[in-house]
Amino acid sequence: MNNKILELQHIKREFVMGTEIVRALKGVTFDVHAGEFITIMGSSGSGKTTLLNILGCLDKPTDGEYLLDNVNVSGLSRNELARLRNHKIGFVFQAYNLLPRTSALENVELPLFYNPELTAKQRKDKALGALESVKLADRGDHTPSQLSGGQQQRVAIARALVNQPVMILADEATGNLDTRTSYEIMALMQDLNQLEGKTIVFVTHEPDIAAFSSRTVMLRDGKVVKDSKNENVRSAKEALEALPPADDY
Ligand SMILES: Nc1ncnc2c1ncn2[C@@H]1O[C@H](COP(=O)(O)OP(=O)(O)OP(=O)(O)O)[C@@H](O)[C@H]1O
Ligand SMILES: [Mg+2]
C-alpha cells in the first residue's frame, strides 16, 4: 500500500509582477508519509508560505505534479478542490484568523457550514468536542479579544480540527507567541500527531520549534537544500516542565 499522503514532483511557482517574474519555487520534490510530523524551515522569502499554500490547495503550481492522498490535484475543478481541502486539511495561521466579534464556539463551527447535512445541534456538538480537545470547552462564549494569544491559537487549532482532517498545515503558528505558549502549542501538535495519527506540516523560522518534529525540510531561494530526519525528537511536555515557573519572567 502507498501511504504517501503528499507527493511533490518538481513543483514550480512563478509570480508575474509587471515585466518581472518572481520564481518563488524552483522545482521542489519531496514526499510526506501519513502520520509524519515535519517542519519546513528557511529564511524569509525562501518560499515556505508559497509551498504551504500549494500543499493546502489554496494555490496551484505553475509547473510540476502534486498528489494529495494519491489524487493528482491539477486535474480537479475549483469545487472539487474546495471539497478536498475541507475534508482533508486543517489550516492554522500565525495571526489566528478568527472572526473578531464572534464567540470561540461559533468560530470553530464555521467550517461545518459547508456541510449541508449537519443540523445546528450536530454542528454545535462537533465544535464543542473540538474545543474540548484543545482544553478550551469553558471558553466557548468568549470572543477572541477576551482570550490570550495562546488561547486564540488553540481556538484556531480547534477550528482546524473540527472536520477531522487527516492533515494539519500550520504557517508560523507559534510566531506571535512567547516560549511557554509556543511549547504548549507544540505539545498539542505532538499529541495530535502521536495519539491521533494526524499528519502535520509545520512552517517555522525557529530551530527550537523544529526540534519537536521528526523531520525538517529546509528551503533556500525556492529550493530544498536539506531534508533530514530528526533522530532526537524533543518532547514538548518535557521542555515545558524544564522552563522556569511562569512568574519568574
Ligand atoms: N502573490 C505573490 N506575488 C508575487 N510574489 C510573491 C507572491 N507571494 C510570494 N511572492 C514572492 O515569493 C517569494 C517567496 O515568498 P513566501 O511568502 O513563500 O516566503 P516565506 O518563506 O513564507 O517568507 P516569510 O518567512 O517571510 O513568511 C518571495 O520572494 C515573495 O516576494
Ligand atoms: Mg511565510
Side-chain angles (χ1 to χ4, degrees):
M1 205 185 86
N2 178 359
N3 72 343
K4 286 179 192 166
I5 192 159
L6 303 176
E7 291 176 66
L8 298 170
Q9 281 150 21
H10 311 294
I11 293 291
K12 292 184 184 166
R13 180 66 170 102
E14 294 171 356
F15 297 103
V16 179
M17 299 287 292
T19 55
E20 203 195 329
I21 295 177
V22 180
R23 294 165 70 213
L25 297 174
K26 300 174 181 168
V28 168
T29 300
F30 67 89
D31 299 334
V32 177
H33 287 87
E36 271 195 288
F37 183 170
I38 86 162
T39 38
I40 296 178
M41 291 195 71
S43 55
S44 183
S46 57
K48 304 182 297 297
T49 296
T50 304
L51 179 60
L52 208 69
N53 287 343
I54 288 172
L55 294 183
C57 305
L58 294 170
D59 186 25
K60 283 190 169 187
T62 314
D63 198 11
E65 293 235 304
Y66 172 33
L67 280 72
L68 170 58
D69 219 359
N70 297 306
V71 175
N72 191 333
V73 299
S74 62
L76 300 182
S77 70
R78 190 183 273 263
N79 277 343
E80 286 169 326
L81 268 183
R83 258 183 74 85
L84 193 68
R85 188 163 66 224
N86 206 26
H87 279 95
K88 299 221 185 239
I89 301 170
F91 280 97
V92 184
F93 303 93
Q94 176 169 3
Y96 324 134
N97 296 9
L98 300 173
L99 294 184
R101 279 172 294 278
T102 308
S103 74
L105 188 69
E106 287 166 331
N107 264 289
V108 175
E109 271 186 77
L110 284 178
L112 299 174
F113 282 92
Y114 294 98
N115 182 347
E117 280 153 35
L118 291 177
T119 65
K121 165 102 173 58
Q122 285 170 321
R123 275 200 305 268
K124 195 169 175 199
D125 288 347
K126 277 175 181 281
L128 260 178
L131 273 180
E132 251 159 45
S133 71
V134 299
K135 304 196 175 66
L136 276 181
D138 59 339
R139 292 289 189 277
D141 293 337
H142 290 227
T143 59
S145 66
Q146 297 167 334
L147 296 166
S148 71
Q151 288 173 334
Q152 290 180 60
Q153 192 56 298
R154 273 148 64 200
V155 172
I157 292 169
R159 181 186 54 191
L161 293 172
V162 75
N163 267 319
Q164 293 171 300
V166 289
M167 179 164 68
I168 294 172
L169 302 181
D171 196 356
E172 305 275 4
T174 57
N176 288 347
L177 303 173
D178 60 57
T179 303
R180 174 175 298 275
T181 314
S182 298
Y183 288 7
E184 283 167 7
I185 296 296
M186 295 318 285
L188 181 58
M189 290 289 156
Q190 286 188 331
D191 277 353
L192 289 170
N193 175 247
Q194 288 159 16
L195 307 179
E196 296 186 33
K198 304 277 188 212
T199 306
I200 299 178
V201 180
F202 197 103
V203 165
T204 182
H205 272 99
E206 297 159 84
D208 71 318
I209 293 293
F212 298 122
S213 73
S214 49
R215 175 180 161 203
T216 299
V217 172
M218 182 80 76
L219 292 183
R220 186 180 302 145
D221 212 8
K223 285 188 226 151
V224 175
V225 289
K226 198 172 169 208
D227 182 346
S228 56
K229 279 238 162 356
N230 179 1
E231 303 296 346
N232 295 304
V233 179
R234 198 171 171 215
S235 153
K237 281 198 188 105
E238 283 172 25
L240 267 174
E241 282 162 15
L243 284 177
D247 291 340
D248 286 5
Y249 58 84

Short mmCIF file of all heavy atoms in Angstrom, two decimals, residues 15-17 22-24 42-51 171-172 203 205, ligand 1:
data_model
loop_
_atom_site.label_atom_id
_atom_site.label_comp_id
_atom_site.label_asym_id
_atom_site.label_seq_id
_atom_site.Cartn_x
_atom_site.Cartn_y
_atom_site.Cartn_z
N PHE A 15 5.48 33.99 -10.03
CA PHE A 15 4.53 35.10 -9.98
C PHE A 15 4.96 36.14 -10.99
O PHE A 15 6.13 36.54 -11.00
CB PHE A 15 4.51 35.74 -8.59
CG PHE A 15 4.05 34.82 -7.48
CD1 PHE A 15 4.98 34.25 -6.61
CD2 PHE A 15 2.70 34.53 -7.31
CE1 PHE A 15 4.56 33.41 -5.58
CE2 PHE A 15 2.28 33.70 -6.27
CZ PHE A 15 3.22 33.13 -5.42
N VAL A 16 4.04 36.58 -11.81
CA VAL A 16 4.35 37.63 -12.77
C VAL A 16 4.07 38.98 -12.12
O VAL A 16 2.95 39.24 -11.66
CB VAL A 16 3.53 37.47 -14.06
CG1 VAL A 16 3.86 38.59 -15.05
CG2 VAL A 16 3.79 36.10 -14.67
N MET A 17 5.11 39.80 -12.02
CA MET A 17 4.97 41.13 -11.41
C MET A 17 5.35 42.16 -12.46
O MET A 17 6.52 42.52 -12.58
CB MET A 17 5.93 41.27 -10.21
CG MET A 17 5.69 40.28 -9.09
SD MET A 17 4.21 40.68 -8.16
CE MET A 17 4.71 42.19 -7.37
N VAL A 22 8.83 36.53 -10.60
CA VAL A 22 9.39 36.08 -9.32
C VAL A 22 9.29 34.56 -9.27
O VAL A 22 8.20 34.00 -9.33
CB VAL A 22 8.63 36.69 -8.12
CG1 VAL A 22 9.23 36.20 -6.81
CG2 VAL A 22 8.63 38.21 -8.18
N ARG A 23 10.44 33.92 -9.19
CA ARG A 23 10.43 32.45 -9.13
C ARG A 23 10.48 32.02 -7.66
O ARG A 23 11.54 31.84 -7.09
CB ARG A 23 11.60 31.90 -9.94
CG ARG A 23 11.44 32.21 -11.43
CD ARG A 23 12.72 32.00 -12.20
NE ARG A 23 13.08 30.60 -12.30
CZ ARG A 23 14.32 30.16 -12.31
NH1 ARG A 23 15.34 31.01 -12.19
NH2 ARG A 23 14.57 28.87 -12.41
N ALA A 24 9.30 31.86 -7.06
CA ALA A 24 9.22 31.58 -5.62
C ALA A 24 9.58 30.14 -5.30
O ALA A 24 10.20 29.87 -4.27
CB ALA A 24 7.82 31.91 -5.12
N GLY A 42 13.45 27.78 6.73
CA GLY A 42 14.08 28.56 5.68
C GLY A 42 13.92 30.03 6.01
O GLY A 42 12.99 30.41 6.71
N SER A 43 14.81 30.85 5.49
CA SER A 43 14.76 32.26 5.84
C SER A 43 13.59 32.95 5.13
O SER A 43 12.93 32.35 4.27
CB SER A 43 16.08 32.93 5.49
OG SER A 43 16.35 32.71 4.15
N SER A 44 13.34 34.19 5.50
CA SER A 44 12.24 34.95 4.94
C SER A 44 12.39 35.03 3.42
O SER A 44 13.47 35.34 2.91
CB SER A 44 12.24 36.35 5.56
OG SER A 44 11.15 37.08 5.09
N GLY A 45 11.30 34.73 2.71
CA GLY A 45 11.33 34.80 1.25
C GLY A 45 11.81 33.52 0.58
O GLY A 45 11.90 33.46 -0.65
N SER A 46 12.08 32.47 1.36
CA SER A 46 12.61 31.24 0.76
C SER A 46 11.51 30.40 0.10
O SER A 46 11.81 29.43 -0.60
CB SER A 46 13.34 30.41 1.82
OG SER A 46 12.50 30.11 2.90
N GLY A 47 10.23 30.76 0.32
CA GLY A 47 9.15 30.06 -0.39
C GLY A 47 8.26 29.19 0.50
O GLY A 47 7.43 28.44 0.00
N LYS A 48 8.39 29.31 1.81
CA LYS A 48 7.66 28.42 2.73
C LYS A 48 6.14 28.58 2.61
O LYS A 48 5.41 27.60 2.48
CB LYS A 48 8.09 28.70 4.19
CG LYS A 48 9.59 28.57 4.41
CD LYS A 48 9.96 28.81 5.86
CE LYS A 48 9.66 30.21 6.39
NZ LYS A 48 10.41 31.29 5.70
N THR A 49 5.68 29.84 2.67
CA THR A 49 4.23 30.06 2.59
C THR A 49 3.70 29.69 1.22
O THR A 49 2.63 29.08 1.09
CB THR A 49 3.91 31.54 2.93
OG1 THR A 49 4.28 31.77 4.29
CG2 THR A 49 2.43 31.85 2.76
N THR A 50 4.46 30.02 0.18
CA THR A 50 4.06 29.65 -1.17
C THR A 50 3.87 28.13 -1.27
O THR A 50 2.88 27.65 -1.82
CB THR A 50 5.14 30.12 -2.18
OG1 THR A 50 5.34 31.53 -2.02
CG2 THR A 50 4.73 29.82 -3.60
N LEU A 51 4.81 27.40 -0.68
CA LEU A 51 4.73 25.94 -0.71
C LEU A 51 3.52 25.43 0.08
O LEU A 51 2.77 24.57 -0.38
CB LEU A 51 6.03 25.34 -0.15
CG LEU A 51 6.11 23.82 -0.09
CD1 LEU A 51 5.96 23.21 -1.48
CD2 LEU A 51 7.43 23.38 0.53
N ASP A 171 1.27 27.59 9.42
CA ASP A 171 2.25 28.57 8.93
C ASP A 171 2.67 29.50 10.06
O ASP A 171 1.91 30.39 10.43
CB ASP A 171 1.64 29.38 7.77
CG ASP A 171 2.71 30.12 6.97
OD1 ASP A 171 3.91 30.07 7.37
OD2 ASP A 171 2.36 30.75 5.96
N GLU A 172 3.85 29.28 10.60
CA GLU A 172 4.36 30.11 11.71
C GLU A 172 3.33 30.21 12.83
O GLU A 172 3.11 31.29 13.38
CB GLU A 172 4.71 31.52 11.21
CG GLU A 172 5.69 31.55 10.06
CD GLU A 172 7.15 31.49 10.51
OE1 GLU A 172 7.41 31.35 11.73
OE2 GLU A 172 8.04 31.57 9.64
N VAL A 203 5.33 25.05 9.34
CA VAL A 203 6.36 26.01 8.89
C VAL A 203 6.84 26.82 10.09
O VAL A 203 6.04 27.32 10.88
CB VAL A 203 5.76 26.97 7.84
CG1 VAL A 203 6.66 28.18 7.63
CG2 VAL A 203 5.54 26.24 6.52
N HIS A 205 10.38 29.46 11.58
CA HIS A 205 11.73 30.03 11.48
C HIS A 205 12.67 29.44 12.52
O HIS A 205 13.87 29.53 12.40
CB HIS A 205 11.66 31.52 11.83
CG HIS A 205 11.38 32.42 10.69
ND1 HIS A 205 10.13 32.92 10.45
CD2 HIS A 205 12.19 32.93 9.73
CE1 HIS A 205 10.18 33.69 9.38
NE2 HIS A 205 11.41 33.72 8.93
N1 LIG B 1 1.42 36.68 -4.60
C1 LIG B 1 2.71 36.94 -4.85
N2 LIG B 1 3.06 37.73 -5.88
C2 LIG B 1 4.35 37.98 -6.15
N3 LIG B 1 5.39 37.48 -5.47
C3 LIG B 1 5.10 36.69 -4.43
C4 LIG B 1 3.76 36.38 -4.06
N4 LIG B 1 3.79 35.55 -2.98
C5 LIG B 1 5.08 35.39 -2.69
N5 LIG B 1 5.89 36.06 -3.56
C6 LIG B 1 7.36 36.06 -3.55
O1 LIG B 1 7.81 34.72 -3.48
C7 LIG B 1 8.90 34.58 -2.62
C8 LIG B 1 8.58 33.58 -1.51
O2 LIG B 1 7.59 34.12 -0.67
P1 LIG B 1 6.98 33.34 0.57
O3 LIG B 1 5.87 34.15 1.12
O4 LIG B 1 6.65 31.95 0.15
O5 LIG B 1 8.23 33.32 1.58
P2 LIG B 1 8.33 32.74 3.07
O6 LIG B 1 9.41 31.74 3.08
O7 LIG B 1 6.98 32.31 3.53
O8 LIG B 1 8.80 34.02 3.89
P3 LIG B 1 8.46 34.50 5.39
O9 LIG B 1 9.33 33.68 6.29
O10 LIG B 1 8.85 35.94 5.39
O11 LIG B 1 7.00 34.29 5.64
C9 LIG B 1 9.22 35.97 -2.11
O12 LIG B 1 10.27 36.50 -2.88
C10 LIG B 1 7.93 36.74 -2.34
O13 LIG B 1 8.21 38.09 -2.53
#
